[in-house]
Amino acid sequence: MGRRGKLAVGLAIYFTLLFIPGPQFPGEDGSPLTSVLISGVAVPIGLLFFVCGIAYGIVTGTIDKASDVPPMMASAVTQVAPLIVLFFAAAQFIAWFDWSNMGTVLAIKTAGVLGSTTR
């Protein structure tokens, strides 16, 4: 079974758990859309890609033993680290902008400036 086949099987299991009658992990209102499988979707997706990546590495021969995996994972994190730092800085700026209500102040001031230039 290829990588796509394993991914398809994993997705089939995930959606079966989500939508079978009487969901296995119902939300607070009993709906599958408020289920922990939807609100915590990052964990199953991460595990699914991890398992598919390990299987792919074993089949292609890039993973011979369990000790080959951590350096590969560290390499991947090293490559993504600058993007994580950028996202952190952007999230802090957006949170500060929201907390300070600076967007509202700028909108009002800018509207006043634009209004005075059209007269």
Side-chain angles (χ1 to χ4, degrees):
M1 180 181 314
R3 182 175 63 170
R4 289 187 181 141
K6 289 180 175 88
L7 181 64
V9 168
L11 288 173
I13 291 170
Y14 180 78
F15 284 111
T16 300
L17 285 173
L18 185 61
F19 290 114
I20 57 175
Q24 302 301 311
F25 305 101
E28 292 179 15
D29 61 354
S31 168
L33 296 178
T34 57
S35 167
V36 69
L37 291 174
I38 295 293
S39 63
V41 74
V43 173
I45 288 174
L47 287 173
L48 192 60
F49 278 104
F50 179 74
V51 168
C52 289
I54 297 291
Y56 180 77
I58 290 171
V59 169
T60 60
T62 56
I63 298 176
D64 294 327
K65 52 191 177 300
S67 62
D68 292 339
V69 176
M72 289 179 170
M73 292 175 67
S75 171
V77 171
T78 302
Q79 293 172 358
V80 178
L83 188 62
I84 293 172
V85 170
L86 176 68
F87 286 168
F88 177 76
Q92 290 299 312
F93 177 76
I94 290 170
W96 175 81
F97 204 71
D98 184 47
W99 172 78
S100 67
N101 290 323
M102 190 59 76
T104 306
V105 172
L106 283 174
I108 292 170
K109 295 290 184 182
T110 305
V113 169
L114 289 176
S116 67
T117 60
T118 58
R119 292 182 190 165

